Amino acid sequence: MPLSYNFPFICIFLCMVSAILLSVVRGAKLSYYVTLAVAIACTVLSVIFLFDIVRDDVSFAFTMGKFPAPFGNEIAGGPLQAMMCSVFCGVMAMALLGGKKELFEDVDEKKMGLACVMFNMVLASILVLSYTNDAFTSYVFIEISTIAACALVMIKDSGPTLMATIRYLFMSLLGSGMFLFSVILLYGITGHLLMPQISEKVAELMAMGDQRMLLALCLGMMAASLGVKAAMFPFHRWLPDAHGTATTTSSAVLSGLVLKGYCMLMILFFCRVFTLETVREFHINDVVFVLGLAGMIVGSVCAMRETHAKRMLAYSSVAQLGYVFMGIGLGTVAGIAAACFQMLAHACTKSLLFVSVGRLSSTTGHDKQLAALRGSAWNAPLAGVGFAVGALSMVGIPLFGGFAAKVFFASASIADAEKIVLTLAVLAVSSILNALYYIPALIGIWSHKRPAVHEAEWDVACAIAITVLCLGIFALGIGFSPVMDILVRGVELL
Amino acid sequence: MLELIVDNRYTLTAVILFVVGLGNMMLHPNLIKKVVAFNIMDAATFLLLASRGFIEGRTAAILTDGGANVALYVNPIPAGLVLTGIVVSVSVSAFSLALIQRIYGSYGTIDMNELLEIMKKKGE
């Protein structure tokens, strides 16, 4: 086994250990830089792992502890997980860099260490949700991710963020309760917790036509619970408050990454545990598909009515997650690969937008109303360019990542004669709706110059983050074909 | 019918408790009661798990003086899962109670409806 095959475990371990250590560290700067270093280290390790696993073209199980399957715990790595996690870790590092200034302003210096614990735990849980091969471990990390994500919302510690956190928390608890219930039902039916073993048993039961009602119930509950956590329409009401009121880094991490962890888990359960044939047979994918389409439209319509820049971006996340669910709902390898591509593009784009808005609003005295941000791009040009790149990618202009994702969705839908019309129509409508709120916002921030409320000094960290994320979007938009090849192969190997 | 109910009494109780918890968590305006409801929901899941994992007439898999006869013991994994689940639910409860305390400190109430009204008045 090549050395790099240990890297997924090392990444997870690194995040957890640093989280534990940081809980006793008091220095604000020290804990911030440790967290940043961990995120960058995870990125590097994941990229090395990605190169090796793509070269070897395999998917493997990594046994943890001394008990082999079916008793012990496992993580599983393949091209799909490696690709996703490389980008997730990279975006995490950039979100930390991009929101650095605001993070130090918003968080009490004494509590910075604890905030960094939460960032580490969020990264660890996203990695585990992507790599895990064990149904119960995924439940435990769903809960860890819930607590960490809620803590990230409330680190700003103002009235509105507390209220947003409590709504987010109860919605999330509902989701994880349902998830636990379905995992236990599944364990009761199959007698296993490791995904390959459950999958074998499910295939056996399906062949015999046994326990179909219970299996359908499990699958439905699982999809619903992960949908609640990933803000699938109609469970999206908590998201704008939570993502719109938090500090810049938190918003970028929550919108860009945390939601994706649950989507990855849904893909794992659909592909590896139940297999796509079973999912299609129970028509769960059709439900996910329709809710995804509804989310695309409703999210955009709500975003159009927003006057607060960050809440607008948060509603836009609902719409963009709708694309992901649409792709999963197509129930084919191509659809799921397109959904994964959309997750990558959205992770880069949404973090970039949040970082840019955070930077722009620092010139207006942290007023994030769209009206207040008018003309602010001239005072912080790089952030203005970042917002422009992000907005154009969201609308779906060629050469930007978002465009490639839309093309892949359209081409994935061709295989399905029933869904192609709906998919293409909603894609078109949703693109227009995206343009209807992103383009006015873009024109607004670049309209005639107004004197800055606060003179923004040059912020190196933010500049690096915006540059890297912009490059990431262009890389996805121009070099989409190798990325997509890896994703398709990864989904096939799941 | 009666036999079916008696045979599945644990599962039935678990489902009823789960629904009670779920309903209260969604509908009750009092935040503390929401946390209690969440705990009821989790307890229902643990009941389901523990009852599924138990076989009448067998004991916990604690080996004494070398008697490793598999037929005497129940599968220890469900018990382990329940313990893990309890740890998770305790930590989530602690987190939510701490959060509710802070909300009470900021707004002076823990009633969701009143809180929403206050938020509306402040225009936040």
Side-chain angles (χ1 to χ4, degrees):
Chain A
M1 193 169 82
L3 177 70
S4 66
Y5 282 24
N6 296 302
F7 288 172
F9 170 72
I10 292 176
C11 286
I12 296 167
F13 191 68
L14 204 60
C15 296
M16 309 269 302
V17 166
S18 63
I20 293 166
L21 289 181
L22 286 179
S23 59
V24 290
V25 169
R26 281 288 161 264
K29 283 218 159 127
L30 176 67
S31 34
Y32 171 81
Y33 284 113
V34 169
T35 312
L36 184 62
V38 167
I40 292 173
C42 287
T43 317
V44 174
L45 291 179
S46 300
V47 170
I48 296 173
F49 173 59
L50 173 67
F51 276 108
D52 279 7
I53 196 110
V54 168
R55 188 196 57 213
D56 297 348
D57 195 30
V58 287
S59 182
F60 70 98
F62 182 91
T63 309
M64 310 223 282
K66 62 177 180 178
F67 294 106
F71 304 108
N73 202 339
E74 277 181 355
I75 55 178
L80 176 70
Q81 291 99 321
M83 183 78 221
M84 301 306 280
C85 289
S86 308
V87 175
F88 290 165
C89 296
V91 169
M92 179 80 190
M94 291 311 125
L96 279 168
L97 269 180
K100 181 183 168 198
K101 208 157 159 259
E102 210 171 317
L103 193 65
F104 277 94
E105 282 167 13
D106 283 341
V107 180
D108 185 20
E109 201 179 325
K110 284 182 195 139
K111 290 185 182 148
M112 194 63 183
L114 297 176
C116 288
V117 171
M118 296 305 161
F119 283 115
N120 277 302
M121 288 317 280
V122 159
L123 188 56
S125 56
I126 295 164
L127 291 176
V128 173
L129 291 182
S130 309
Y131 281 124
T132 186
N133 206 16
D134 182 290
F136 198 76
T137 307
S138 60
Y139 162 70
V140 174
F141 277 87
I142 280 183
E143 290 284 29
I144 292 178
S145 138
T146 302
I147 297 184
C150 286
L152 285 187
V153 178
M154 68 180 282
I155 49 175
K156 206 170 165 183
D157 203 15
S158 63
T161 54
L162 289 177
M163 282 302 292
T165 314
I166 198 91
R167 292 177 73 181
Y168 180 22
L169 182 67
F170 282 124
M171 213 58 200
S172 290
L173 289 183
L174 173 77
S176 33
M178 272 160 60
F179 185 82
L180 177 64
F181 204 84
S182 53
V183 165
I184 284 170
L185 273 181
L186 203 56
Y187 178 63
I189 301 170
T190 61
H192 287 289
L193 286 170
L194 282 178
M195 292 183 182
Q197 276 79 9
I198 301 180
S199 177
E200 272 172 34
K201 198 80 189 171
V202 167
E204 229 173 81
L205 288 172
M206 286 303 289
M208 288 193 303
D210 216 8
Q211 309 262 33
R212 291 174 63 95
M213 273 289 288
L214 269 179
L215 279 177
L217 180 71
C218 281
L219 184 57
M221 262 179 112
M222 209 155 255
S225 60
L226 292 172
V228 170
K229 312 217 43 138
M232 179 162 71
F233 176 83
F235 311 115
H236 64 282
R237 296 292 298 274
W238 55 267
L239 186 138
D241 287 328
H243 294 192
T245 53
T247 181
T248 297
T249 307
S250 300
S251 303
V253 169
L254 290 168
S255 249
L257 302 178
V258 173
L259 299 173
K260 310 296 188 307
Y262 305 125
C263 297
M264 273 303 285
L265 191 62
M266 192 189 264
I267 291 175
L268 284 190
F269 268 97
F270 276 15
C271 291
R272 200 189 291 155
V273 178
F274 288 96
T275 68
L276 289 175
E277 289 82 54
T278 316
V279 174
R280 279 199 297 266
E281 204 178 319
F282 289 140
H283 295 290
I284 300 290
N285 70 319
D286 296 335
V287 179
V288 174
F289 177 76
V290 171
L291 293 179
L293 293 183
M296 284 160 73
I297 303 288
V298 173
S300 292
V301 170
C302 291
M304 280 165 71
R305 289 165 38 195
E306 273 303 330
T307 56
H308 187 274
K310 282 180 80 172
R311 284 178 61 91
M312 184 190 86
L313 294 180
Y315 269 121
S316 153
S317 282
V318 176
Q320 298 294 321
L321 261 292
Y323 284 81
V324 175
F325 289 121
M326 179 184 77
I328 298 174
L330 284 173
T332 57
V333 171
I336 288 181
C340 292
F341 192 92
Q342 162 73 6
M343 280 197 251
L344 296 181
H346 183 243
C348 295
T349 313
K350 198 42 70 67
S351 320
L352 174 64
L353 283 168
F354 271 118
V355 168
S356 303
V357 166
R359 176 77 183 140
L360 288 174
S361 73
S362 70
T363 66
T364 64
H366 293 293
D367 190 342
K368 294 190 178 73
Q369 291 292 332
L370 280 170
L373 289 173
R374 282 184 75 82
S376 57
W378 298 103
N379 298 319
L382 190 61
V385 172
F387 190 89
V389 171
L392 294 177
S393 168
M394 284 289 173
V395 175
I397 306 290
L399 296 187
F400 295 88
F403 171 73
K406 282 178 189 171
V407 171
F408 287 130
F409 279 122
S411 63
S413 72
I414 288 173
D416 195 327
E418 288 167 12
K419 287 178 182 152
I420 178 166
V421 178
L422 257 180
T423 310
L424 293 182
V426 176
L427 263 178
V429 171
S430 142
S431 296
I432 295 170
L433 289 175
N434 282 346
L436 279 179
Y437 58 91
Y438 273 117
I439 301 295
L442 182 58
I443 295 172
I445 65 161
W446 280 106
S447 59
H448 58 278
K449 185 176 177 174
R450 283 203 291 190
V453 179
H454 287 284
E455 212 50 62
E457 67 252 45
W458 180 244
D459 184 351
V460 186
C462 191
I464 295 173
I466 290 177
T467 316
V468 171
L469 288 170
C470 283
L471 289 178
I473 291 173
F474 282 120
L476 285 173
I478 297 167
F480 50 82
S481 134
V483 175
M484 194 58 183
D485 288 344
I486 296 174
L487 292 177
V488 170
R489 190 72 195 121
V491 175
E492 283 168 357
L493 281 174
L494 269 183
Chain B
M1 182 67 192
L2 191 69
E3 204 176 328
L4 194 74
I5 293 175
V6 173
D7 281 349
N8 290 310
R9 57 191 186 279
Y10 291 116
T11 313
L12 269 178
T13 320
V15 170
I16 293 170
L17 281 177
F18 190 85
V19 173
V20 168
L22 192 76
N24 271 304
M25 207 172 126
M26 287 288 87
L27 302 173
H28 213 291
N30 186 319
L31 293 177
I32 300 277
K33 288 189 181 167
K34 272 183 193 282
V35 177
V36 174
F38 161 72
N39 276 288
I40 294 176
M41 201 169 87
D42 265 8
T45 333
F46 302 146
L47 173 68
L48 179 71
L49 190 54
S51 66
R52 282 288 172 99
F54 185 71
I55 303 170
E56 206 79 55
R58 297 195 187 181
T59 60
I62 301 167
L63 299 187
T64 51
D65 44 282
N69 184 358
V70 183
L72 291 177
Y73 306 114
V74 294
N75 181 357
I77 290 179
L81 297 185
V82 171
L83 286 179
T84 317
I86 289 174
V87 172
V88 170
S89 116
V90 165
S91 39
V92 172
S93 303
F95 180 80
S96 2
L97 290 175
L99 181 59
I100 292 168
Q101 200 180 19
R102 287 208 75 90
I103 288 185
Y104 187 75
S106 300
Y107 291 102
T109 172
I110 51 166
D111 187 290
M112 202 65 192
N113 297 336
E114 284 175 30
L115 281 168
L116 289 177
E117 232 160 75
I118 296 173
M119 299 285 291
K120 212 180 260 175
K121 261 184 210 155
K122 284 190 179 172
E124 283 168 346

